[in-house]
Amino acid sequence: MPKSQVRKKKVYTPPTDIRPAATAASKKPSPVWLPITAVALIVVGIAWLVVYYLSSQEYPVAAWQYWNLAVGFGCMVASLAILSRWR
């Protein structure tokens, strides 16, 4: 019985007008201060909340009352925003 011919697949090359312009080699790496700042903000946010709860809501700033929670969580959310820029 004769053997059937093997078809060769064509190599796909995307059109040049659709190809993405930025390649992985052209992207700049993140600056060194970025992860350091993000980790520092996380630590400050957690420390702020821990001090607030352990001091029976008297410290860090007693006049702010529950806004101390916003400061602590705000620091942690700001660190997430900074980390979204990390490459």
Side-chain angles (χ1 to χ4, degrees), residues 48-49 52-53 65-74:
W48 192 285
L49 293 174
Y52 178 68
Y53 277 115
Q65 297 175 352
Y66 289 112
W67 284 103
N68 284 302
L69 296 175
V71 172
F73 285 115

Side-chain angles (χ1 to χ4, degrees), residues 30-81:
S30 299
V32 176
W33 61 266
L34 195 134
I36 295 170
T37 305
V39 170
L41 279 172
I42 290 172
V43 170
V44 167
I46 291 172
W48 192 285
L49 293 174
V50 167
V51 168
Y52 178 68
Y53 277 115
L54 291 180
S55 69
S56 299
Q57 291 85 23
E58 289 184 24
Y59 297 108
V61 182
W64 289 357
Q65 297 175 352
Y66 289 112
W67 284 103
N68 284 302
L69 296 175
V71 172
F73 285 115
C75 286
M76 291 187 280
V77 169
S79 71
L80 289 175

